[in-house]
Amino acid sequence: MSAQEEDELKPTFAQGFKLGQDASPEELLQKDKGDESLERWKASLGLDAATAGASASASGPKVTPIALVLTSPTLPQGKKIEMDLTDPRTVESYRKSPFNIKEGVEYSVTVKFKVNHGIVSGLRYMHVAKVKGVTADRTEEMLGSYGPKPDGGAYEKTLPAEESPDGFVARNAGTYYVTSLITDDDQNKYLKFEWCFKLTKEW
């Protein structure tokens, strides 16, 4: 990947933003007890004594990306476009086998992920789409801050709806190549992968 492409995938931070100290779940749980707003925030992260204790002995990445799902009200009944992000060989195949995306329709992307331990702050999804080497789209969306779910389950976050390009030029431009990145405020890169699509008249 070129230096320009690396720059395009750098997260945007507010001026003066500094990486925070990585506090443990136990420290966060004990912090400012009695403050109702903070207690509600901790609860929204799924932070309690059980999850904090489980995180204490955990290792490995905080976040496991599970899937990237494309949905649209125009998709034929029963048709699903979902990228499994858990198997490296499957992920590698996405850069060689284009998906078909119908031109000029509204669609949304849903990110599925699991928080394994600790608290992840400012999780975000980014991608850069290029066609014939020219940047056609850059997306950066905040997913939020999370702790592990008490049941060990996954989170799903649907990004704001977009509209696919349309017209003869867009449709005949060729294959669009996308580099996607799941990262956080501490600039941990949980997954960077490539996939591709073509604009078509029908799904």
Side-chain angles (χ1 to χ4, degrees):
M1 182 174 286
S2 68
Q4 178 185 349
E5 289 171 317
E6 289 286 356
D7 286 342
E8 289 178 319
L9 281 171
K10 281 186 177 178
T12 303
F13 296 111
Q15 188 173 5
F17 175 86
K18 293 182 180 179
L19 297 179
Q21 187 175 1
D22 193 11
S24 70
E26 293 87 348
E27 291 170 334
L28 288 173
L29 194 61
Q30 297 300 322
K31 190 175 182 180
D32 298 316
K33 277 193 169 183
D35 186 314
E36 291 186 5
S37 62
L38 277 175
E39 292 300 325
R40 287 194 296 270
W41 176 72
K42 294 174 191 176
S44 74
L45 296 177
L47 190 60
D48 57 24
T51 56
S55 293
S57 58
S59 59
K62 286 183 180 180
V63 175
T64 298
I66 295 175
L68 199 69
V69 185
L70 190 150
T71 58
S72 172
T74 65
L75 269 171
Q77 187 174 4
K79 185 176 178 64
K80 190 176 184 181
I81 299 178
E82 180 168 346
M83 287 176 261
D84 176 10
L85 304 180
T86 61
D87 178 63
R89 286 185 296 182
T90 301
V91 172
E92 178 66 18
S93 71
Y94 298 140
R95 63 192 297 268
K96 302 174 183 177
S97 303
F99 295 96
N100 287 337
I101 296 180
K102 186 176 180 179
E103 64 173 346
V105 299
E106 183 179 285
Y107 71 94
S108 298
V109 172
T110 297
V111 184
K112 296 182 181 180
F113 58 94
K114 179 181 177 183
V115 179
N116 300 311
H117 59 85
I119 301 297
V120 58
S121 176
L123 191 67
R124 65 192 71 199
Y125 168 81
M126 304 178 63
H127 78 224
V128 173
K130 292 179 179 287
V131 59
K132 295 182 178 178
V134 178
T135 299
D137 179 58
R138 181 187 184 277
T139 292
E140 179 177 353
E141 293 290 347
M142 181 65 69
L143 304 179
S145 298
Y146 302 88
K149 278 195 171 183
D151 63 359
Y155 291 96
E156 294 187 13
K157 179 72 173 182
T158 300
L159 308 184
E162 299 185 55
E163 185 172 312
S164 60
D166 64 349
F168 178 84
V169 174
R171 194 172 61 250
N172 289 276
T175 301
Y176 291 71
Y177 292 92
V178 186
T179 302
S180 291
L181 173 68
I182 298 175
T183 185
D184 64 14
D185 279 350
D186 295 319
Q187 300 185 44
N188 296 305
K189 294 181 180 179
Y190 297 109
L191 183 65
K192 184 165 73 172
F193 64 102
E194 297 178 14
W195 55 286
C196 58
F197 67 90
K198 291 182 177 180
L199 289 171
T200 52
K201 289 187 175 181
E202 299 296 335
W203 288 104

